[in-house]
Amino acid sequence: MPILNRVHELQTEVAGWRRYIHENPGLLYDVEHTADFVAEKLKEFGCDVVETGIGKTGVVGLIKGSKGEGQTIGLRADMDALPITEASGVEWTSKKPGLMHACGHDGHTSMLLGAAKYLAETRNFKGAVAVIFQPAEEGGAGALAMIEDGMMEKFKISEVYGMHNKPGLPVGQFETNKGPSMAAADEFKIFVEGKGGHAASPHHTIDPVVVSAHMILAVQALTSRETDPLHSLVITIASIHGGDTHNVIPNTVTLHGTVRSLLPETRDFAERRLKEVVSGIAATFGAKAEVQYERGYPVTFNHPKETDFAVEVLEGIVGEKNVFQGTPPTMGAEDFSYMLEKRPGTFINIGNGNTAGLHHPAYDFNDEAIPYGISYWVALTESALAN
Ligand SMILES: [Zn+2]
Ligand SMILES: [Zn+2]
């Protein structure tokens, strides 16, 4: 199925919604403005059910097909923005200072709304499609909040599909891979406690700055010397806080970082060895150390059968040469992973063309991608629910 005329006709309208959402960004769960807009549109399209307040501010619309009973598939978009001051220079720049749609969730929401409008008009499928609009993708686990509110059971969702735009990939192209496609992301804090004192008399102190320096270097050996080089692991200590001036050795230092992994055993290994190395080094210097380790988003795992199916659908829209399979995973994270833990499905990238990168102040979603995104949702629904 190439891009349909009706989908082309929708582009201007959908781009208008996208720019309106872009002007009115919200952080994490604070996306009421967008959620209200989405719910109003879904009702206007004639969705059979429109439910708000799932996972605090999430919205689900249910559209039943006209070809009889069948399963329900879930299509998911995200609605939240980022705490970045916009520098894109576009006419539809954010009206909220310090907040902007720098990850293209405005585009994801609008494309799914466009698909909902088309699918509610045509209903050329069996069963039903649930269009899922989630809050708090950027670190707030909004997908998990919707799952914990019973979304999967309530709407009897049997498969789930997600899509993210990708700067640098030409418009009209898609990419995906089977298995792990994005990393598990964990967060840790290390509290090092020494004994402060005069900087000129270090022998009377236990210097937590020196102890921290040993820890920072030692944890890098976990990735370079203890992990199979083919099992990806990142340990980044991105923040160090300790001391106020040049001539006082502080009592404490706090380190703050992230662990990224693609396999459960690598994740377990990193958590265990990080704690062991930190406590061993603290003991070596007579200091104390505590590690607070919090597991965040799980690995985004693309189920093989559903990924093959999505690729087949995409090839039908843009041709084989514009669909890349086997794209290497990245160590970024994505909370659609929670939905893929509960139901089979897949997450794909859609080309955003030559724009600024994600989370960059100059980024803007590319409205040229809209017909491709809508076509994917529509063709996926009509194929998955054909029989
Ligand atoms: Zn993002
Ligand atoms: Zn994003």
Side-chain angles (χ1 to χ4, degrees):
M1 186 188 92
I3 292 178
L4 301 165
N5 286 338
R6 179 70 187 116
V7 170
H8 270 305
E9 281 167 26
L10 283 171
Q11 182 178 7
T12 312
E13 187 181 12
V14 174
W17 301 339
R18 205 281 293 177
R19 292 170 187 194
Y20 175 75
I21 294 169
H22 189 93
E23 283 179 338
N24 298 283
L27 268 194
L28 294 168
Y29 288 95
D30 195 12
V31 290
E32 289 86 353
H33 191 94
T34 304
D36 288 350
F37 179 79
V38 164
E40 193 187 301
K41 286 285 166 210
L42 294 176
K43 284 177 197 160
E44 191 184 303
F45 304 155
C47 288
D48 299 275
V49 180
V50 178
E51 196 164 322
T52 58
I54 309 177
K56 295 184 189 149
T57 40
V59 182
V60 176
L62 192 76
I63 304 164
K64 292 180 183 159
S66 62
K67 291 174 148 186
E69 293 295 304
Q71 59 162 343
T72 299
I73 63 164
L75 313 180
R76 170 274 203 177
D78 37 17
M79 300 189 286
D80 58 322
L82 286 155
I84 295 174
T85 298
E86 182 156 4
S88 66
V90 295
E91 233 175 89
W92 46 92
T93 287
S94 166
K95 288 178 178 166
K96 289 196 191 162
L99 291 190
M100 78 170 283
H101 271 291
C103 206
H105 299 183
D106 49 344
H108 305 163
T109 294
S110 306
M111 291 191 292
L112 188 54
L113 276 179
K117 179 164 182 166
Y118 180 96
L119 291 166
E121 275 172 14
T122 52
R123 298 185 188 252
N124 190 23
F125 54 90
K126 278 191 162 186
V129 58
V131 286
I132 302 165
F133 298 86
Q134 74 152 83
E137 191 287 320
E138 299 285 1
L144 182 62
M146 292 186 84
I147 291 166
E148 287 177 347
D149 263 0
M151 173 185 79
M152 294 295 185
E153 298 75 19
K154 185 162 195 178
F155 295 95
K156 300 189 173 66
I157 295 166
S158 57
E159 292 170 20
V160 285
Y161 295 89
M163 166 161 58
H164 206 291
N165 77 94
K166 183 170 178 177
L169 184 67
V171 169
Q173 296 190 352
F174 293 88
E175 61 172 36
T176 188
N177 71 339
K178 282 184 225 175
S181 71
M182 294 181 86
D186 302 337
E187 182 179 344
F188 64 87
K189 275 189 179 162
I190 302 172
F191 301 98
V192 184
E193 190 185 336
K195 190 174 137 218
H198 201 297
S201 307
H203 56 299
H204 293 313
T205 73
I206 297 170
D207 185 350
V209 175
V210 171
V211 177
S212 302
H214 281 273
M215 289 174 180
I216 292 163
L217 291 176
V219 299
Q220 293 311 313
L222 299 182
T223 56
S224 67
R225 300 292 87 180
E226 292 192 32
T227 308
D228 183 329
L230 297 178
H231 294 176
S232 306
L233 177 65
V234 172
I235 303 178
T236 293
I237 293 175
S239 137
I240 315 172
H241 284 274
D244 295 305
T245 187
H246 71 291
N247 58 0
V248 178
I249 291 171
N251 273 316
T252 60
V253 168
T254 304
L255 309 173
H256 195 179
T258 184
V259 171
R260 306 295 173 105
S261 56
L262 293 175
L263 295 168
E265 55 267 36
T266 316
R267 193 182 202 185
D268 292 343
F269 158 82
E271 179 174 358
R272 177 175 57 79
R273 287 292 289 144
L274 183 75
K275 289 175 179 169
E276 285 171 1
V277 165
V278 163
S279 88
I281 288 173
T284 301
F285 291 96
K288 287 182 197 151
E290 188 199 324
V291 179
Q292 257 178 23
Y293 194 99
E294 267 182 52
R295 291 199 169 204
Y297 294 175
V299 168
T300 303
F301 185 89
N302 286 335
H303 297 248
K305 187 172 147 238
E306 287 69 23
T307 307
D308 282 340
F309 170 65
V311 164
E312 201 182 297
V313 166
L314 288 169
E315 287 177 350
I317 300 166
V318 293
E320 220 170 290
K321 68 179 192 310
N322 290 312
V323 184
F324 302 100
Q325 301 182 56
T327 306
T330 72
M331 301 310 276
E334 163 61 57
D335 91 338
F336 185 61
S337 53
Y338 287 112
M339 297 196 190
L340 289 173
E341 277 191 335
K342 296 287 171 208
R343 296 291 184 270
T346 197
F347 193 65
I348 63 153
N349 286 324
I350 175 170
N352 201 53
N354 190 20
T355 64
L358 300 174
H359 295 207
H360 190 281
Y363 171 86
D364 189 40
F365 179 81
N366 191 338
D367 289 330
E368 299 298 314
I370 288 171
Y372 296 97
I374 297 179
S375 296
Y376 172 59
W377 287 140
V378 167
L380 185 82
T381 303
E382 292 181 351
S383 313
L385 304 176
N387 302 301

